[in-house]
Amino acid sequence: MKVIENTVVKSNTEIASGIWELVADSPKICSEYRGPGQFVSILPIDGWQHPLRRPMSIAAVKKSSLTIIYKIFGDVTSEFSKLQKGDNLNMLGPIGNTFSGWDDSGYDPVLVGGGVGLAPILNLKNTCADNGIAVAVIIGARRGAEHFMDHDPDNGLWLTTDDGSLGAAGTVMPTLEDVIASLPNPRLFACGPEPMLEAVRDFSIAKGIPAELSVESYMACGIELCQGCVIAKPNGQDKKNSYHERYSLVCADGPIYEAKDISFG
Amino acid sequence: MKVIENTVVKSNTEIASGIWELVADSPKICSEYRGPGQFVSILPIDGWQHPLRRPMSIAAVKKSSLTIIYKIFGDVTSEFSKLQKGDNLNMLGPIGNTFSGWDDSGYDPVLVGGGVGLAPILNLKNTCADNGIAVAVIIGARRGAEHFMDHDPDNGLWLTTDDGSLGAAGTVMPTLEDVIASLPNPRLFACGPEPMLEAVRDFSIAKGIPAELSVESYMACGIELCQGCVIAKPNGQDKKNSYHERYSLVCADGPIYEAKDISFG
Amino acid sequence: MADITVTIGKHTFQNPVFAASGTFGYGLENPDLVDISAFGAIVTKSITRQPREGNPPPRIVETPSGMINSIGLSNIGVDKYVSDMAPKYADIGCPVIMNIAGSSEDEYCEIVEITESVNSNIIGYEVNISCPNVKHGGIEFGVNAELTESLTSKIRKRTGKLVIMKLSPNVTDIRSIAKAAEAGGADALSAINTVYGMSINPHTKKSEIYTTYGGLSGPAIKPVGLACVHKVSLAVDVPVIGIGGITSGKDAVEYILAGASAIQVGTANYRDPATGISILDDLKRYLAEQNIATVAEMIGMVETYES
Amino acid sequence: MADITVTIGKHTFQNPVFAASGTFGYGLENPDLVDISAFGAIVTKSITRQPREGNPPPRIVETPSGMINSIGLSNIGVDKYVSDMAPKYADIGCPVIMNIAGSSEDEYCEIVEITESVNSNIIGYEVNISCPNVKHGGIEFGVNAELTESLTSKIRKRTGKLVIMKLSPNVTDIRSIAKAAEAGGADALSAINTVYGMSINPHTKKSEIYTTYGGLSGPAIKPVGLACVHKVSLAVDVPVIGIGGITSGKDAVEYILAGASAIQVGTANYRDPATGISILDDLKRYLAEQNIATVAEMIGMVETYES
Ligand SMILES: Cc1cc2nc3c(=O)[nH]c(=O)nc-3n(C[C@H](O)[C@H](O)[C@H](O)COP(=O)(O)OP(=O)(O)OC[C@H]3O[C@@H](n4cnc5c(N)ncnc54)[C@H](O)[C@@H]3O)c2cc1C
Ligand SMILES: Cc1cc2nc3c(=O)[nH]c(=O)nc-3n(C[C@H](O)[C@H](O)[C@H](O)COP(=O)(O)OP(=O)(O)OC[C@H]3O[C@@H](n4cnc5c(N)ncnc54)[C@H](O)[C@@H]3O)c2cc1C
Ligand SMILES: Cc1cc2nc3c(=O)[nH]c(=O)nc-3n(C[C@H](O)[C@H](O)[C@H](O)COP(=O)(O)O)c2cc1C
Ligand SMILES: Cc1cc2nc3c(=O)[nH]c(=O)nc-3n(C[C@H](O)[C@H](O)[C@H](O)COP(=O)(O)O)c2cc1C
Ligand code: FES
Ligand code: FES
C-alpha cells in the first residue's frame, strides 16, 4: 500500500561532490516498504513552480528511518540540499517492485551501480550483508570526487572512474567482465545511467547471464494515473489494438525489469 | 538614480502580530536615498513562481542600513519572513518622490498611518525628530496586537484600534479631528489602506488643510517600463487624445500625491 | 452549512468538485490514497473504440508551473472498459462520467452505443473533441463549429445520459464552438482541455515530447481556463464545467465566480489524488466566511468593470 | 569566439537578443540600470496614430509564473514619438525597431508615412496585430489571414525598412496567419504576443483586470511560444523572432533551436532590465560548451522524433 507522508528530516549531508544523503523519519512509508528497488516520490518544496514530484530510490530503511541518496541535478534537488534537520518533506511511497533472486543461494549476486543509480544498489548490498549473503559490487563514476566509498576489491567492492582518478579506469564493463570470470553462477543487478544499463543489458543477454535492471523514466504521478512513465517492451511491438503490451508503466510494473524485457530508446 | 542591489539581511523580526521589520545592508540604495516616502521593490525569493517584485516603503535609512516594515499578506511576504541574517535580498530602488513641506516651519505636521502604510509614516516621524521638528502622529490598526508602539498622546503619539482594544476606539478619523483642533496650521501626511486615504483626502479637501497621501498601486516594474501602476487623476479626465493626463504613473510621479490630485476607484 | 450541491442537466451532484479526465485513471487505481466517495463526480481517462497503447515516450515534461503531456489516449478500449471496469462502479459511492474520444463520428457513436447496451453506473459522457496530442483524436471536431454541432447531435440521439462536450482553448473563437455544442444538444460544456505547448532540451537539442507538441496543463494555464470559462458561460445557457490549473479552494472559487457550475481537478491529482477533498474543505470555509448560502448563487457572480 | 550575429531582412544584428515591445518603454527610461548598446535591438512600446491614455486600472495582476496585463496601448502617439523620441536614438548604440498598432489599415499606414517622412535611426517596424486588451488595437487583423496579408502589403509599399508582423497565439491556426504575412511581403514574423487570460479576486469577487480579459505573459507561456515559433518557422521562409517567457540563456537556446532567428525578452525586464545581457552571456557560454560556431547554424536545429 502506498501512503503520502509528511516526513521529518533527520539529517541531510553532502557525502561526495554534489551527492547528498538525506535521512527522514517516515514511519508510515517504512512500514509499507518491501525491499531494495522500491522508490519514493518527493514533493518539491517551492510551491507550484515545479508541479511534479521527484522519484528517488530508497537507499535504506532502518526502523522508521528512510534514506535517499540524491545528486544535485536541477532546481528541485538544489532546493532539497538546503533542507535542515526538523524540516518537513512530503513523500509518496513506497512505489514499485523489488529486486528478486538475490537471496537465492544458487546464484552469486553481482551489483552494478553508477551515478544516481547508486541508491538501490547500496540498499541491495546492505540488505544482502544483513542476510549474510556475499556479493560483488561495482560502482562507476566520472571522477574520484563523486565516490564516497573505498576501492576495496578484497572485500568485494570495486570502484571505477571514467578519468581513472580512483579505482579502475574506464566504465564498469571491463571490471564486470573480470569479476564474473571467477563466479560460477553470476546474477546481475544494475542501476545507473542509460548507457550503462544498455551495456549491462546487451552483455547479460549475450552471455546468457540473468540480470535485473532498475530503470528510470519521467513520471508525473507515480500512482498509475498519468500513463506518462512508459518504457518500451521489445516483445510487444506488433499488436495493432493493444494496451500495455508495447509499453510498460515503470511506476506500476517497474522500476525493476529483467534485461530481456525492456529496450532503450 | 535607481540601482539594483543584492542586499544582505542584518535582522528580520516580528515586531507585532504578522508585522515584520527587516534591516538590510544596502550601501548603494542608501546612498541614493532622498527622503521619507521613497520605496524599494524587492525580488521574490522563490524563483519565477512569482515573477513580480514587491514594492515596500523605506521605513528608515541609517548609513548603509535600510529598514522595511512588512505585513505577511500572501506567498511572497511569507517567504520574506523566513529570511535570516546573512541571506541575500535583491532590491531595486530607491523609487519615487518624497513627502514635502514637513520641514516648513510655518506648518504643524500631522502624520497618519495605518496597516502596512506605517513604514513611510514612521520614517517621516523619525526624520522630523532628527531635525528637531515636533509632529503629531496617529496610527490606526484593527486590533491592539497589530500595534508595536505605545499609545502616548502626551508625547504626540495616538494609537487607534477598530475594536477598541488599544488607544482610541474606531478609525483614525475622530482622533485626527481632535488632534488638528488644537493646531494652528496643520499639514497632513498619510499612508495606509485605501478607505483611510480616501477619508483623509475628503476631510482635508473639505477643511482646506493641505495633505500629502502616499498611495499604492499594482506594479510590474517600478521603473516606468510597464505602464501598469496608474492611478486616476481627477483633473485630467476629459482630453480626447492624451497621454498621462488622465492617469499618473505611481512609480514615476508618486507614490506621494497632494490629496486634490488623485481620486480613488 | 451552505448548500454545495450543483445541478447539471437532470443530475444533482453532492458537490461541484470533480476529478478531470486522464488525471484520475478509471477511478479505481488508488483506493487507499483517496476516498473517491467525497468527490462530486469523477471523469475517466478517455476511452476509445479500440484499446490504444498511446504515444512512444517521452510523454511528459515539466514546465514553469505546468507540465506538457502527450499520452496519446492510452486506454483499454470500450469493450474491456464496459466489461471489466464499469461493473466496479456499482459501489464506489461517486457518479462516474465516461470520457470518450474518437477519430470519426462513427467511432464516437459506436462507443456510446456499446456503453448504452449494458447496464452501468455511468451517468454520462464527456466528449473529448480537444485532445492536442493525437492527430485523429477528436481535435479536428473541436476546432470546427459545424463538426462539433453534428457530432454532438449524433451522440445526443444515442443517449439519455448527460452529454458534456469538452472544449479546446486552442481556437480563435471558443464561443462559436460552445454555441455549436449547445445547438447540438449538449447538456453541459467542459473547458478547458490542454493548451498546445513544446519543450526542448538544450543539451541534447531534442524535443522533450515524442510528438513535438503536447498539451500544457497545471497552474500556468489557470488564467487561460478562467478566461475561456467566463466567455463560454456568457455565450451559452447550459452549465459550464471549469478546468485548468485548479490546485486550491481559491482557484475553484475563481472558476465558479467566472461562471463554472462545477470544476475539475487535473494535474494537481498527480501530487496528491486527494487534492479535490482539500479543495472542497477550502470551498466550504470560503462559503461560511463570505456568508454565501449556496454554491449555485455564486456561479458567474464575478463583478467585471466593463460589460 | 562564436559568431553571434544574426540576419533579418537586410539587417545584420550584433546579437540575437532583443527587448520586447511594451517591456522596455522607449528604450530611454533607465540609462543607469542597463547598457542598451549591448542588445541586438530594442523594440519600442506600441505607438499609435494619436496619443493614448490606455485602460483604467487595474492593469496588472500576477498569476502562477506569469502576469496578466491590460495596459491598453498607453503611448505618446506617433507625432510626439517622431519629434521627441526618435532623435534621441542617434547615439544609443543599438538599432531601434518601432512597434506600431492601429484600429484600421489607414491608421497603420499613416503611422508609417509620418515616420518615413523624417530622418531617424529607426530600422524597421514591428506591426502589432495581436494586442489582446484593446478592442480595436489590431487583433481583428491578427486573427484573419486575408486582413493580415492586405495590411502587410500596404505597409510594405510604404517602407523599405524592416517590416515584422507580430502574431497572436490566440488563433486556431497560426500557420495560416504567418503565411499570409509572408505573402504580404513581411521581412520577418514575431511570435508570440500575449495569451488571453483572466484573474478574479475571491475576496472582492471582482475581476483583477479592468478589461476582464488581459494578456498572459512570462514563464508560464514559454511552452506556448515555443510551439508557435516551431510551427511558424516550418511554415514560412522568412525569419521568425521568438518571444514568450524568456528569462535565461536556456530559454533563448530553446527558442533558437525551435526555429527563432532572434529572441525578445519581455516580462523578465520588469525584474531586471539587464536580463537580456545575462541571457547573452549564457548564450555565449552555451555556444562555447557545445562547440557551435555560429548562432545561425543553431536556428531550427531541434531534433524531433516525428517529422
Ligand atoms: C524510479 C526513479 C528513481 C530515481 N532515483 C534517484 C535517486 O535515488 N537519486 C537521484 O539523485 N535521482 C534519482 N532519480 C532521478 C531524479 O528523479 C531526478 O534527478 C530529479 O527529478 C531531478 O530533479 P531536478 O529538479 O533537480 O532537476 P531537473 O532540472 O528538473 O531535471 C533534470 C532531469 O531530471 C529528470 N526528472 C525531472 N523531473 C522528473 C520526474 N518528475 N520524473 C522523473 N524524472 C524527472 C529528467 O531526466 C530531467 O531531465 C530517479 C528517477 C526515477 C524515475
Ligand atoms: C508603493 C508601495 C509601497 C508599499 N509599501 C509596503 C510596506 O511598506 N509594507 C508592506 O507590508 N507592504 C507594502 N506594500 C504592499 C506590498 O507590496 C504587498 O503587500 C505585497 O506585494 C504582498 O505580496 P504577497 O505575495 O505577500 O501577497 P499577494 O498574495 O501576492 O498579494 C496580496 C496583495 O498585495 C498586492 N500586491 C501583490 N503584488 C504586488 C505588486 N507587484 N505591486 C503592488 N502590489 C502588489 C496586491 O494588492 C495583492 O492583492 C506597498 C505597495 C506599494 C505599491
Ligand atoms: C497526463 C494528462 C492526461 C490527460 N488525458 C486526458 C484525456 O484522456 N482526455 C481528456 O479529455 N483530457 C485529458 N487531459 C486533460 C485534463 O483533463 C484537463 O483538461 C487539463 O489537464 C487541464 O486541467 P489541469 O490544468 O488541472 O490539469 C489530460 C491531462 C493530463 C495532464
Ligand atoms: C505590460 C506589457 C505590455 C506590453 N505591451 C505591448 C505592446 O505595446 N505592443 C506589443 O506588441 N506587445 C506588447 N506586449 C507583449 C510583449 O512584447 C511580449 O510579446 C509578451 O509579453 C510575451 O513575452 P514575455 O512572456 O517575455 O513577456 C506587452 C507585454 C506586457 C507584459
Ligand atoms: S508515473 Fe503516472 S502512470 Fe506511472
Ligand atoms: S510599475 Fe511599471 S510603469 Fe510604474
Side-chain angles (χ1 to χ4, degrees):
Chain A
M1 196 181 99
K2 289 164 199 146
V3 291
I4 292 179
E5 185 172 24
N6 225 1
T7 74
V8 180
V9 174
K10 295 170 82 168
S11 68
N12 188 21
T13 22
E14 187 166 12
I15 55 175
S17 172
I19 315 269
W20 291 64
E21 180 183 77
L22 184 148
V23 182
D25 190 51
S26 171
K28 289 191 202 158
I29 294 176
C30 289
S31 74
E32 298 290 338
Y33 168 73
R34 290 187 296 107
Q38 289 199 289
F39 61 99
V40 290
S41 202
I42 311 182
L43 200 65
I45 50 179
D46 60 354
W48 282 92
Q49 180 160 223
H50 295 93
L52 304 184
R53 287 177 180 268
R54 295 312 201 251
M56 294 283 166
S57 297
I58 297 174
V61 165
K62 277 214 186 81
K63 295 188 184 146
S64 73
S65 289
L66 186 149
T67 304
I68 59 165
I69 295 174
Y70 62 96
K71 184 175 161 150
I72 297 193
F73 217 102
D75 292 347
V76 175
T77 44
S78 299
E79 287 291 315
F80 286 168
S81 71
K82 294 184 201 148
L83 285 165
Q84 308 216 316
K85 195 181 156 147
D87 286 346
N88 281 123
L89 194 58
N90 185 296
M91 298 190 186
L92 188 168
I95 308 176
N97 59 1
T98 60
F99 288 116
S100 69
W102 47 269
D103 50 357
D104 179 334
S105 59
Y107 285 111
D108 305 301
V110 180
L111 283 47
V112 185
V116 295
L118 214 90
I121 292 300
L122 264 188
N123 192 354
L124 180 56
K125 167 181 181 292
N126 292 331
T127 305
C128 286
D130 291 347
N131 287 275
I133 298 167
V135 299
V137 182
I138 308 165
I139 309 282
R142 282 172 306 180
R143 47 202 181 86
E146 290 170 2
H147 279 300
F148 54 91
M149 290 178 295
D150 291 324
H151 184 58
D152 187 3
D154 293 343
N155 288 304
L157 179 58
W158 285 261
L159 302 188
T160 71
T161 46
D162 293 351
D163 67 0
S165 55
L166 182 63
T171 74
V172 294
M173 294 312 293
T175 304
L176 175 59
E177 294 206 41
D178 285 355
V179 168
I180 60 156
S182 61
L183 297 175
N185 254 326
R187 186 177 167 92
L188 309 185
F189 301 90
C191 184
E194 208 168 289
M196 190 195 104
L197 291 184
E198 236 180 303
V200 172
R201 175 183 173 278
D202 294 348
F203 175 79
S204 74
I205 291 174
K207 299 263 174 177
I209 302 173
E212 285 191 345
L213 310 180
S214 173
V215 306
E216 292 193 1
S217 77
Y218 216 104
M219 300 192 167
C221 71
I223 47 176
E224 292 176 63
L225 296 177
C226 74
Q227 304 284 322
C229 61
V230 290
I231 182 159
K233 297 199 277 191
N235 315 320
Q237 307 264 18
D238 305 316
K239 300 263 172 70
K240 184 159 172 251
N241 294 314
S242 65
Y243 174 66
H244 287 188
E245 303 219 358
R246 185 189 292 190
Y247 299 117
S248 167
L249 288 187
V250 174
C251 79
D253 306 327
I256 317 292
Y257 292 89
E258 286 199 39
K260 64 172 172 39
D261 288 343
I262 47 171
S263 60
F264 294 96
Chain B
M1 195 181 98
K2 288 166 202 147
V3 291
I4 292 179
E5 186 172 24
N6 226 1
T7 74
V8 181
V9 174
K10 296 171 82 168
S11 68
N12 188 22
T13 22
E14 186 165 13
I15 54 174
S17 172
I19 315 268
W20 290 65
E21 181 183 79
L22 184 147
V23 182
D25 189 52
S26 171
K28 288 191 203 157
I29 294 177
C30 289
S31 75
E32 298 289 338
Y33 168 74
R34 289 186 298 105
Q38 288 198 291
F39 61 100
V40 289
S41 202
I42 310 182
L43 199 65
I45 50 180
D46 61 354
W48 282 92
Q49 180 159 224
H50 294 93
L52 303 184
R53 287 177 179 268
R54 296 313 201 248
M56 294 283 166
S57 296
I58 297 174
V61 164
K62 275 212 186 81
K63 293 188 187 145
S64 72
S65 289
L66 186 149
T67 304
I68 59 164
I69 295 175
Y70 62 96
K71 186 176 160 147
I72 298 193
F73 216 101
D75 293 347
V76 175
T77 45
S78 299
E79 286 292 312
F80 285 168
S81 71
K82 294 183 199 149
L83 285 166
Q84 309 216 315
K85 194 181 156 145
D87 287 345
N88 281 123
L89 194 58
N90 184 296
M91 299 190 187
L92 189 168
I95 308 176
N97 59 1
T98 60
F99 288 117
S100 69
W102 47 269
D103 49 356
D104 180 335
S105 57
Y107 285 110
D108 304 302
V110 179
L111 283 46
V112 185
V116 295
L118 213 91
I121 293 299
L122 263 187
N123 191 353
L124 181 54
K125 168 181 181 288
N126 292 331
T127 305
C128 287
D130 292 347
N131 286 275
I133 298 167
V135 298
V137 182
I138 308 165
I139 308 282
R142 282 172 308 179
R143 48 203 180 84
E146 291 170 0
H147 278 301
F148 54 90
M149 290 178 293
D150 292 323
H151 184 58
D152 188 3
D154 293 344
N155 288 305
L157 179 58
W158 285 261
L159 302 188
T160 71
T161 47
D162 294 351
D163 68 359
S165 56
L166 182 64
T171 73
V172 294
M173 294 312 292
T175 303
L176 176 58
E177 295 207 38
D178 285 357
V179 168
I180 59 157
S182 61
L183 296 174
N185 254 326
R187 185 177 167 93
L188 308 185
F189 300 90
C191 183
E194 207 167 290
M196 189 194 106
L197 291 184
E198 236 180 304
V200 172
R201 175 182 173 279
D202 294 347
F203 174 81
S204 73
I205 290 174
K207 299 263 174 176
I209 302 173
E212 284 191 345
L213 311 180
S214 172
V215 305
E216 291 192 0
S217 76
Y218 217 104
M219 299 190 169
C221 72
I223 48 176
E224 291 176 64
L225 296 177
C226 74
Q227 304 283 324
C229 62
V230 289
I231 183 161
K233 297 199 276 191
N235 314 321
Q237 307 263 16
D238 303 316
K239 299 263 174 69
K240 184 158 172 250
N241 294 314
S242 66
Y243 174 66
H244 287 188
E245 303 218 358
R246 185 191 291 191
Y247 299 118
S248 166
L249 288 187
V250 173
C251 79
D253 306 327
I256 317 292
Y257 291 89
E258 287 198 40
K260 65 171 172 40
D261 287 342
I262 48 171
S263 59
F264 293 96
Chain C
M1 228 202 59
D3 176 1
I4 58 171
T5 62
V6 293
T7 301
I8 295 172
K10 59 188 181 216
H11 276 275
T12 295
F13 297 88
Q14 65 171 345
N15 69 60
V17 180
F18 299 4
S21 177
T23 68
F24 218 68
Y26 303 112
L28 302 162
E29 286 80 355
N30 293 282
D32 300 322
L33 277 176
V34 54
D35 172 15
I36 206 177
S37 72
F39 283 78
I42 60 161
V43 184
T44 68
K45 175 82 194 154
S46 283
I47 310 289
T48 52
R49 178 65 194 85
Q50 299 296 339
R52 286 177 60 97
E53 285 288 347
N55 295 329
R59 292 183 176 182
I60 296 271
V61 69
E62 196 182 59
T63 66
S65 295
M67 62 176 278
I68 302 174
N69 88 79
S70 179
I71 305 301
L73 301 177
S74 169
N75 80 98
I76 56 175
V78 66
D79 297 325
K80 215 161 164 106
Y81 179 73
V82 159
S83 66
D84 295 10
M85 296 289 163
K88 295 186 185 145
Y89 296 145
D91 39 32
I92 61 164
C94 166
V96 177
I97 296 167
M98 178 179 170
N99 180 298
I100 64 174
S103 57
S104 65
E105 284 195 342
D106 286 352
E107 232 174 276
Y108 282 101
C109 291
E110 271 183 61
I111 300 170
V112 173
E113 283 162 10
I114 291 168
T115 312
E116 292 290 307
S117 72
V118 302
N119 247 330
S120 81
N121 268 33
I122 291 159
I123 64 155
Y125 303 91
E126 183 180 67
V127 185
N128 183 355
I129 50 169
S130 42
C131 177
N133 50 52
V134 166
K135 283 206 186 77
H136 304 286
I139 188 77
E140 55 286 24
F141 294 94
V143 299
N144 181 313
E146 277 160 59
L147 293 181
T148 296
E149 181 170 345
S150 162
L151 176 64
T152 310
S153 66
K154 293 224 163 90
I155 294 174
R156 173 77 292 164
K157 283 200 196 88
R158 284 166 173 79
T159 181
K161 294 183 170 140
L162 280 182
V163 174
I164 304 165
M165 303 303 286
K166 184 166 179 181
L167 306 181
S168 171
N170 303 302
V171 293
T172 306
D173 181 14
I174 196 171
R175 294 184 186 92
S176 66
I177 313 288
K179 284 183 191 156
E182 183 180 43
D187 294 301
L189 307 175
S190 290
I192 57 174
N193 209 319
T194 52
V195 178
Y196 275 114
M198 180 178 184
S199 181
I200 298 172
N201 183 323
H203 303 294
T204 62
K205 305 186 192 71
K206 274 193 182 170
S207 164
E208 298 205 274
I209 290 288
Y210 187 89
T211 53
T212 309
Y213 316 121
L216 180 64
S217 65
I221 68 164
K222 193 185 80 171
V224 180
L226 269 176
C228 289
V229 164
H230 188 257
K231 283 182 194 174
V232 167
S233 71
L234 293 181
V236 298
D237 291 324
V238 294
V240 180
I241 303 173
I243 322 173
I246 297 174
T247 69
S248 67
K250 177 181 173 297
D251 297 335
V253 166
E254 285 191 63
Y255 269 93
I256 298 171
L257 292 171
S261 294
I263 59 97
Q264 293 181 14
V265 182
T267 300
N269 287 317
Y270 298 148
R271 285 165 79 122
D272 187 344
T275 303
I277 298 174
S278 67
I279 288 177
L280 202 54
D281 292 341
D282 288 354
L283 179 61
K284 287 179 195 160
R285 210 166 20 245
Y286 175 85
L287 293 164
E289 277 165 21
Q290 296 268 332
N291 273 309
I292 300 178
T294 67
V295 166
E297 75 196 66
M298 247 178 87
I299 300 168
M301 208 197 210
V302 63
E303 191 186 322
T304 55
Y305 293 87
E306 304 180 313
S307 54
Chain D
M1 228 202 60
D3 176 3
I4 57 172
T5 62
V6 294
T7 301
I8 294 173
K10 59 188 181 214
H11 276 274
T12 295
F13 296 88
Q14 64 171 345
N15 69 60
V17 180
F18 300 5
S21 177
T23 67
F24 218 69
Y26 302 113
L28 302 163
E29 287 80 355
N30 292 283
D32 299 322
L33 278 175
V34 53
D35 172 14
I36 205 177
S37 71
F39 284 78
I42 60 161
V43 184
T44 68
K45 175 83 194 151
S46 281
I47 309 288
T48 52
R49 178 65 194 86
Q50 298 296 338
R52 285 178 61 97
E53 284 289 346
N55 295 329
R59 291 183 177 183
I60 296 270
V61 68
E62 197 182 57
T63 66
S65 295
M67 62 176 278
I68 303 174
N69 88 79
S70 180
I71 305 302
L73 302 178
S74 168
N75 80 96
I76 55 175
V78 65
D79 296 326
K80 216 160 161 122
Y81 179 74
V82 159
S83 65
D84 295 9
M85 296 289 163
K88 295 186 185 144
Y89 296 146
D91 39 31
I92 62 164
C94 167
V96 177
I97 296 167
M98 178 179 172
N99 181 298
I100 64 174
S103 55
S104 65
E105 285 196 340
D106 286 352
E107 231 174 277
Y108 282 101
C109 291
E110 271 183 61
I111 299 170
V112 173
E113 284 162 9
I114 291 168
T115 311
E116 292 290 308
S117 73
V118 302
N119 246 329
S120 81
N121 268 33
I122 293 159
I123 64 155
Y125 304 90
E126 183 181 65
V127 185
N128 183 355
I129 51 170
S130 43
C131 177
N133 52 51
V134 166
K135 282 203 188 76
H136 303 286
I139 187 77
E140 57 283 25
F141 293 94
V143 298
N144 183 314
E146 277 160 61
L147 294 181
T148 296
E149 180 169 346
S150 162
L151 176 65
T152 310
S153 67
K154 292 225 164 90
I155 294 174
R156 174 75 292 162
K157 283 202 195 88
R158 284 167 173 78
T159 181
K161 293 183 171 143
L162 280 183
V163 174
I164 305 165
M165 303 304 286
K166 184 165 180 182
L167 306 180
S168 172
N170 303 301
V171 293
T172 306
D173 181 14
I174 197 171
R175 293 183 187 93
S176 65
I177 313 288
K179 285 182 193 157
E182 184 180 42
D187 294 301
L189 307 175
S190 290
I192 57 175
N193 208 320
T194 53
V195 179
Y196 275 114
M198 178 178 184
S199 181
I200 297 173
N201 183 322
H203 303 294
T204 62
K205 305 186 193 69
K206 274 194 182 169
S207 163
E208 298 205 274
I209 290 287
Y210 187 89
T211 52
T212 310
Y213 315 121
L216 180 63
S217 65
I221 68 164
K222 193 185 80 171
V224 180
L226 269 176
C228 289
V229 164
H230 189 256
K231 284 182 194 176
V232 168
S233 71
L234 293 181
V236 299
D237 291 324
V238 294
V240 179
I241 303 173
I243 322 173
I246 298 173
T247 68
S248 67
K250 178 180 171 298
D251 298 334
V253 167
E254 286 192 63
Y255 268 94
I256 297 171
L257 292 172
S261 295
I263 59 96
Q264 293 181 15
V265 181
T267 301
N269 287 318
Y270 299 149
R271 285 165 79 124
D272 186 345
T275 303
I277 297 172
S278 67
I279 288 177
L280 202 54
D281 292 341
D282 289 353
L283 179 62
K284 287 179 195 158
R285 209 166 20 244
Y286 174 86
L287 292 165
E289 276 165 22
Q290 296 269 330
N291 274 311
I292 300 178
T294 67
V295 166
E297 74 196 67
M298 250 179 83
I299 300 168
M301 208 196 210
V302 64
E303 190 186 325
T304 55
Y305 293 86
E306 304 179 313
S307 54

